[in-house]
Amino acid sequence: MTTTRIALTVNGESVSADVPARLNLADFVRDQLGLTGTHVGCEHGVCGACTLRVDGEIVRSCLTLVVQADGCAVETIEGLSDSGEIADLQAAFRERNALQCGYCTPGMLMTAQDLLRKCANPERTEIREHLSGNYCRCTGYHAIVDAVERTAKARQRRS
Amino acid sequence: MKAPAFSYVRAESVEHALELLSRHGNAAKILSGGQSLLPALNLRLAAPAVLIDIGRLDELRGIKLRDDVVTIGALTRHADLLTSEEISASLPLLRKAAAHVAHPAIRNRGTIGGNLAHADPASEFPACMLALDARMVIRGEGGERRVNARDFFRGIYETALEPHELLAAIEVPRPQPGSRTYFHEFVRRSGDYAMTGLAALAHVDGAQLGDLRLSYFAISDRPHLARATSHLVGVEITAERIAEAQAELDAELDPPDDQQASAAMRRHFARLLLFRCVADVLGRPELAMEAVR
Ligand SMILES: Cc1cc2nc3c(=O)[nH]c(=O)nc-3n(C[C@H](O)[C@H](O)[C@H](O)COP(=O)(O)OP(=O)(O)OC[C@H]3O[C@@H](n4cnc5c(N)ncnc54)[C@H](O)[C@@H]3O)c2cc1C
Ligand code: FES
Ligand code: FES
């Protein structure tokens, strides 16, 4: 199989690899880099479990080829977690029971943090709208919206 | 599932992309944002031998205002349409529609060119382009040609594009000052493809409608411009006029019956959207109440 040489950064670290064209970014970070926090649910863009950041914007990693991410800065849930960027959001999820099986959680955190970076004080409807592309089969969403809302309020108090 | 194997070429310029398209013919597919193509590959509904990635061609990106025309480069993303001040000011219909196209992470990659070339009958932008009477700027190795939205959409996933051609831009005439727009869709979950929706452009002349373009989506194999509006233009609008237009609309539609919605449900949505739109653009909410009764 022909492969293409690519170079990108993942959570700030330089990575280069020879990859087949059909390899998507989700399988690349999971299988080749061992970053299994990015989950794979539907593989056609519907569930949001595979959401990660490319050049600062959230994308579906199951709908992004690694070759398309050549030269880009990729951030996974491990990156956001280790840097402490979302420590408060993660704590709010835990306190509010906003996760049960946890399958959707990395994608939910990525998407929620994306909203909080753009909008400091979102309405509940805005939170629901921003998370509309992320399925959760356990929680019924209510607790997730609560956790995001609490985090927004707490961050506002701190700033 | 995983995508089948294919080879990948990153186009260096539009000319390069066109040359690759001619060389590979039907075996090749253009890759823009990949938000329709990659699901199709992952589901193994498509198996092209070569993907030609045009995603980095800056010459195909951006929004330009010139006189009475807004030119939108094919690689302009849904997210760009949502945040562009030029679009909000000159083509509010597109901004309203963009908020209903998929979800934030998908809007960060999906492009207007890919969306229109994909021509999903349930898609919002094709209907907007028909309402706005836009023109598609198509490039092939032989040069450039323009096709009106009403001739561009040919059926389910079918357009006037030839296999060796590329959609380069869309030219949208700026609606006259004082025009009003209306957009609404019925969906099961925000961001999903619609069960039925309407993108409309109206020109209000005093208390009457000078012009009304009702462009329905998810109601036919392509966006549908209602002919029933002839009952509403240049007349005093009453509940009776609206009922006549609804009956006419019902007669001209032949909606599909599928797992998304039954044909009867789609007809119902189409009638609802007609009076809601007219009541909204005329600023006469009581019309909607009368029509329900
Ligand atoms: C979960 C989900 C929900 C979605 N919901 C909606 C929705 O509600 N409404 C909606 O409208 N869309 C929806 N979409 C589709 C989305 O809008 C796509 O981004 C868009 O349809 C395709 O744009 P793209 O740039 O990603 O094109 P690609 O996927 O790269 O290409 C799509 C097709 O067009 C061809 N093509 C691409 N660019 C060009 C060009 N410039 N010239 C010629 N041919 C070209 C490709 O070869 C391919 O056949 C959804 C997608 C997902 C995954
Ligand atoms: S695995 Fe990517 S959206 Fe479901
Ligand atoms: S916690 Fe199980 S899917 Fe969301």
Side-chain angles (χ1 to χ4, degrees):
Chain A
M1 203 188 320
T2 55
T3 57
T4 307
R5 185 89 188 152
I6 54 145
L8 65 169
T9 69
V10 178
N11 300 327
E13 283 180 42
S14 300
V15 177
S16 55
D18 290 303
V19 294
R22 69 168 178 161
L23 185 67
N24 68 43
L25 191 52
D27 291 340
F28 178 72
V29 298
R30 286 177 56 84
D31 301 344
Q32 302 211 3
L33 305 181
L35 298 172
T36 52
T38 298
H39 289 170
V40 172
C42 67
E43 298 188 311
H44 61 278
V46 179
C47 75
C50 68
T51 309
L52 47 64
R53 275 200 317 227
V54 174
D55 290 342
E57 293 185 317
I58 53 167
V59 305
R60 297 287 203 238
S61 58
C62 71
L63 300 186
T64 308
L65 300 173
V66 205
V67 286
Q68 289 177 289
D70 186 18
C72 296
V74 174
E75 292 166 281
T76 67
I77 190 67
E78 289 86 352
L80 269 65
S81 212
D82 292 350
S83 71
E85 179 183 335
I86 55 166
D88 55 348
L89 185 62
Q90 288 167 310
F93 264 58
R94 204 167 45 239
E95 281 155 20
R96 188 61 194 83
N97 268 331
L99 66 156
Q100 289 174 27
C101 79
Y103 205 84
C104 69
T105 314
M108 285 290 179
L109 291 168
M110 277 280 170
T111 310
Q113 173 65 359
D114 181 63
L115 173 66
L116 295 177
R117 290 211 295 177
K118 290 184 178 133
C119 175
N121 189 18
E123 301 275 330
R124 287 181 76 84
T125 50
E126 287 173 279
I127 298 172
R128 285 189 180 276
E129 180 61 33
H130 209 79
L131 295 175
S132 66
N134 292 66
Y135 275 137
C136 176
R137 300 290 77 168
C138 303
T139 65
Y141 302 100
H142 199 87
I144 295 176
V145 178
D146 286 349
V148 177
E149 192 183 31
R150 281 188 194 184
T151 307
K153 295 225 161 86
R155 285 188 191 180
Q156 275 211 308
R157 276 196 299 276
R158 256 182 286 134
S159 64
Chain B
M1 279 195 297
K2 309 294 176 194
F6 47 79
S7 53
Y8 168 90
V9 196
R10 188 182 295 158
E12 305 295 337
S13 64
V14 172
E15 288 70 30
H16 184 213
L18 293 173
E19 184 200 311
L20 290 165
L21 273 177
S22 316
R23 186 169 347 134
H24 295 287
N26 282 329
K29 276 260 173 214
I30 294 283
L31 173 65
S32 286
Q35 303 303 291
S36 292
L37 186 52
L38 296 185
L41 291 174
N42 289 355
L43 293 165
R44 303 222 169 186
L45 299 172
V50 189
L51 290 196
I52 304 168
D53 186 358
I54 61 168
R56 300 201 180 192
L57 300 180
D58 285 338
E59 52 190 307
L60 294 177
R61 221 182 301 277
I63 298 156
K64 290 186 207 77
L65 294 182
R66 185 172 34 81
D67 304 328
D68 293 335
V69 177
V70 186
T71 303
I72 306 173
L75 285 182
T76 307
R77 302 168 312 154
H78 309 343
D80 302 324
L81 293 173
L82 206 51
T83 52
S84 153
E85 284 176 15
E86 288 97 335
I87 294 293
S88 285
S90 55
L91 300 171
L93 184 60
L94 282 188
R95 206 213 83 89
K96 286 185 200 172
H100 296 268
V101 180
H103 313 284
I106 293 161
R107 295 198 287 261
N108 281 340
R109 291 198 70 86
T111 69
I112 183 84
N115 186 281
L116 299 173
H118 187 60
D120 192 303
S123 181
E124 293 81 356
F125 290 137
C128 292
M129 294 306 169
L130 185 62
L132 293 166
D133 202 18
R135 263 183 325 199
M136 309 296 146
V137 182
I138 297 173
R139 283 184 62 178
E141 276 202 298
E144 202 170 83
R145 67 186 179 110
R146 284 170 168 72
V147 176
N148 288 322
R150 65 178 168 279
D151 302 317
F152 182 77
F153 300 104
R154 297 273 170 89
I156 303 175
Y157 309 137
E158 265 186 61
T159 69
L161 283 168
E162 299 287 343
H164 60 276
E165 288 180 323
L166 194 71
L167 178 59
I170 306 98
E171 292 175 344
V172 192
R174 277 173 93 154
Q176 315 169 32
S179 296
R180 311 238 174 110
T181 56
Y182 177 84
F183 185 93
H184 190 77
E185 65 178 34
F186 292 100
V187 278
R188 293 190 194 277
R189 169 179 78 148
S190 178
D192 281 356
Y193 279 107
M195 294 184 282
T196 294
L198 174 64
L201 178 68
H203 194 73
V204 179
D205 212 354
Q208 297 187 354
L209 290 163
D211 191 18
L212 180 63
R213 292 173 70 86
L214 298 183
S215 181
Y216 283 94
F217 52 98
I219 198 96
S220 173
D221 65 348
R222 66 195 86 177
H224 177 85
L225 199 61
R227 296 184 289 274
T229 52
S230 59
H231 288 264
L232 300 168
V233 170
V235 297
E236 191 198 332
I237 305 284
T238 58
E240 291 71 47
R241 288 287 95 71
I242 289 183
E244 275 167 29
Q246 285 177 315
E248 176 89 14
L249 176 69
D250 207 46
E252 74 184 71
L253 293 176
D254 182 17
D257 220 338
D258 58 32
Q259 60 192 27
Q260 297 298 325
S262 68
M265 188 162 159
R266 288 192 158 96
R267 286 181 184 283
H268 174 68
F269 286 149
R271 287 192 299 264
L272 276 181
L273 288 166
L274 183 143
F275 75 69
R276 285 194 190 170
C277 169
V278 171
D280 185 84
V281 297
L282 290 176
R284 287 177 57 191
E286 85 284 358
L287 275 177
M289 302 312 291
E290 285 167 31
V292 180
R293 261 188 261 126

